[in-house]
Amino acid sequence: MKNTNMNNNNTQEQDTMAAIGIGAMIVFIALILVAAVAAAVIIQTAEKLQQNAQSTGEDTTDEMSGKVQILNVFVNDGAESYEVYFRLAAGSDDTADDGILWQVSCDDGAGTFQYIAGDFSDASGGQVIDLGDNAAADVDDVEAGTAYRYTLDANDGAGNDCSPDALFAANVKATLYIHVVGGGTTYDILKVNDATEGAVVV
């Protein structure tokens, strides 16, 4: 009888140790699963942050490099237009003439603002001329590193007049904005001290 009880106790003790081992294994597997889920979340977050950073960097590059630098502005026709000398900023991609937009706003001297807008294509009445081209032929694509000129008509004939004569007569300034589609924006203040043809606009 004594020997039988001892065998029963040993069996019970061995069963308890097996249960503890199974529990530890379950906890271990659970920890592995939690770690795997956490790692997946961290990797996904890192990829998303990388994509956002790359997209922001590309947008910033386009905005900074894809813009027009105004070299100088002259009076072309006192009653109508300016001659704008410009080039694309370093690192810019070639841009179609209709992808460069402009707008001029000014005060008529009586407190009323006037707005005129267009683009650098032939449809707006002007031509983009390569300064290095002796033939002075119109070009449809503007390339970085090359200087160009464009005749900007600032009198739409419908009451909106920011021409050199209008600014000079009212002793006011105009704001010129030039936008590159998908790129940046450049602006300049036009002040006409002399409305004769060829005079520099400052």
Side-chain angles (χ1 to χ4, degrees):
M1 287 292 263
K2 203 167 185 180
N3 291 335
T4 303
N5 288 337
M6 286 182 64
N7 289 336
N8 289 340
N9 289 339
N10 290 338
T11 303
Q12 185 176 5
E13 183 179 351
Q14 290 174 359
D15 291 342
T16 302
M17 292 178 64
I20 293 174
I22 293 173
M25 183 178 67
I26 293 173
V27 172
F28 179 69
I29 294 173
L31 288 175
I32 291 176
L33 292 175
V34 170
V37 171
V41 172
I42 292 172
I43 291 173
Q44 184 178 8
T45 302
E47 289 179 350
K48 186 174 182 180
L49 291 174
Q50 181 184 6
Q51 291 174 355
N52 290 341
Q54 185 175 359
S55 176
T56 301
E58 291 174 352
D59 292 344
T60 302
T61 300
D62 290 340
E63 183 175 349
M64 295 305 296
S65 62
K67 65 189 303 185
V68 168
Q69 292 180 337
I70 299 174
L71 303 177
N72 219 329
V73 181
F74 298 92
V75 174
N76 180 63
D77 180 345
E80 294 288 337
S81 58
Y82 301 91
E83 201 73 26
V84 179
Y85 287 71
F86 71 96
R87 67 182 173 193
L88 292 180
S92 299
D93 295 329
D94 294 352
T95 304
D97 55 3
D98 59 0
I100 304 176
L101 316 178
W102 62 266
Q103 67 183 72
V104 177
S105 61
C106 66
D107 186 342
D108 65 356
T112 301
F113 272 87
Q114 303 178 73
Y115 303 91
I116 307 165
D119 57 49
F120 278 26
S121 68
D122 303 348
S124 291
Q127 293 182 328
V128 176
I129 306 297
D130 184 340
L131 296 184
D133 184 3
N134 293 328
D138 177 47
V139 297
D140 294 328
D141 291 307
V142 177
E143 300 176 356
T146 303
Y148 300 89
R149 63 181 172 88
Y150 176 78
T151 304
L152 190 152
D153 191 350
N155 186 349
D156 65 1
N160 294 303
D161 186 4
C162 292
S163 66
D165 284 347
L167 299 186
F168 182 71
N171 192 27
V172 295
K173 299 177 182 179
T175 303
L176 168 64
Y177 288 93
I178 300 180
H179 315 278
V180 176
V181 175
T185 297
T186 303
Y187 81 95
D188 202 358
I189 303 297
L190 306 181
K191 172 64 176 172
V192 178
N193 294 325
D194 182 357
T196 58
E197 183 177 352
V200 177
V201 179
V202 294

